[in-house]
Amino acid sequence: MFRIAGAGSVTAARLSAACCRAVTSKQFQVHGASLHVLSSETSRKTRNGPAHRTPPSWQSVRAMASAGESQSKINYLFYGLAVLFGGGGIVYWWSRKYMRETSKDGSTSKKAAAPAAAASKEATEPVAETPVTATTKSEAPPAQPAAAEAPAEAAPDAESKKLLDATPQSYPDYEVMPEIPGHAKYLLIGGGTASFAAFRAIRASDAKAQVLVVTEEEELPYMRPPLSKELWYSDEPKLVEKMKFKQWNGKERSVYYNPPSFYVEPKELAYQENGGVAVVKGRKVMKLDPQKQVAVLDNGWEIFYDKVLIATGGRPRNIPVFERASQEVKDRVTLFRGIKDFKRLDEVSKNASSIVVVGGGFLGSELTCALGKRSRDSSLKVIQMFPEAGNMGKVLPEYLSQWTTAKVRGEGATVKPETFVKRARYSDGKVILKLNTGEEISTDHVVVAVGLEPNTELAKESGLEVDDTYGGFRVNAELEARSDIWVAGDASSFYDIKLGRRRVEHHDHAVVSGRLAGENMTGAKKPYWHQSMFWSDLGPDVGYEAIGIVDSSLPTVAVFAKATEKDTPRAVVEETGESLRSVTETEALSSAQTTEPSEVPSTTDVEPSASEKTESATDEAPAPDVEAAAKLVAEVEAENRVAPTPKEDYGKGVIFYLRDDVIVGVVLWNLFNRMPIARKIIKEGKQHQDLAEVAKLFDLHADED
């Protein structure tokens, strides 16, 4: 390992290229990393270019030398001398001398070997620890020969001149570079949506930023929502094999955010003059040292960082009955989360006679509808079970949950509410499930979709705080856990300045929090106040969007209207061209992020007779049918907030979730492009005695004849 002082100068850059070439061309092994150019500044954070790779300590070089390798001893010798004397002159002299005195077959002459042996004898442990002083410089044996011999050298040959004229940009010898950089200005842990949003924000603020992503998966950053939605509705198997899908409007799209050509190789990242993003796949960060600002990987490699983002997401939660089951049962259980799980379940569904989905939340209901649709053209039987009274019973009011359950059954699945598995065993190639009802079900495969556990393994080893109530890394309103450490996405327990401490497990939150963390990593210092939304589609014809705290245990008030052909997920994708509906909504609000919450227009000061004021408050909605909306809300409130009967056909509507007469959550049922209105209502945090005025803003009857 060699170090050259004075990074940033052309001379140092040329020397680094020359020395690196001299060593590698003669079969020398460069241990741990390439030749490093070190800045003369004391702060590691100010390095540029190749200096972004932090070399191993001199102790590690000494350890290699003590192993008995002659090449390592020479490396150790010159490493120590470079540190002792400032490095530039001695390394330059040695590289020139070595190139001249080494034969074509790579053997070193006795003339070159003797000084090396003599110098090696004097290069002991105290040398590297001795402070650099005028006395030590004058006493160092190799310094004088370097000064004496350099002037007498003949002009460099053509090959040497070519090497000396090279620069790191024109000549980085990638063959000797480590596969994983030793330093990253911006290190992102996790390769999901939050990391994707973060590196987009970082690159937007710092155009030449070099960003390193480390992910456990063997995949480039990709979007998860299509894994339980559109991918299952494709009639083109070859398209799915390439992880491409057709949106509800028929437009083809890949689940990957960017093509492979967008990313640079990790070993080349430090040499990208205009910055870039590199992804290290299949590696896990085991520990962070906040004081030394270093991340330790599962293979022992250390990456020094300036800023780091933890976006580790979550892992699928299992249930005890399957955790205790035999290995034969476990082999037939899928905890659905990523691309690997989708591919496995896709293959199973083509050959199995039955699949049981355990879980009635967003993911479980979406997968049940998707598998149910596939079962129409095959002999596959799909069964869904959950302990709640209806699908998405923890989110939707009971009457709407019952309606949703009927919708799922209509997709071809058998739904068993208030049911859970008590025991699971294996018999004759089948999984036998004993239910709380006493019934036994024989199935080929089980899908468990009961939520996530945030990945917080880093916390204990890294001195980071975990939220005992909500789970996840505990961070402040700026998403910062410790100095220069941010957390975003599913793993973040953040302080919402409007709704208090929260943890959210949805795509849009990953986008919003990842972007905010990326901006703050570049110095923005913005608090989290944007209310992220989430959505779920039960196929192309029924879907909903939600924001805030949507808990079925809270009192609710709902207003419904007759749906039109425009009130479906398929229609909204055809209109916007975007299947990830949060993307369209989020990008539209990107400029609004700079607006303070206090500047948001009030939605409760709307006068019924002033349609122009209503338009102003909604930003983009046309004047609503005030009388019709007021009549519907009045009818609901007149019944003491008794919900509509389950027999109704809930075409489209808005459901308000209340806490002390304050709207804390909103569900828009088959009602799209109204999320900015709901967001403003929640941001105000005011009490609402007359919800009729609030309902007018959503313009439920805009598309009716």
Side-chain angles (χ1 to χ4, degrees), residues 414-434:
T414 299
V415 183
K416 294 180 177 293
E418 300 179 323
T419 303
F420 58 88
V421 181
K422 294 188 68 175
R423 287 191 298 275
R425 60 185 176 86
Y426 175 78
S427 177
D428 297 329
K430 299 281 187 177
V431 176
I432 311 300
L433 303 177
K434 179 75 171 180

Side-chain angles (χ1 to χ4, degrees), residues 591-604:
S591 60
Q593 287 289 316
T594 57
T595 305
E596 294 299 325
S598 59
E599 298 174 8
V600 178
S602 171
T603 57
T604 55

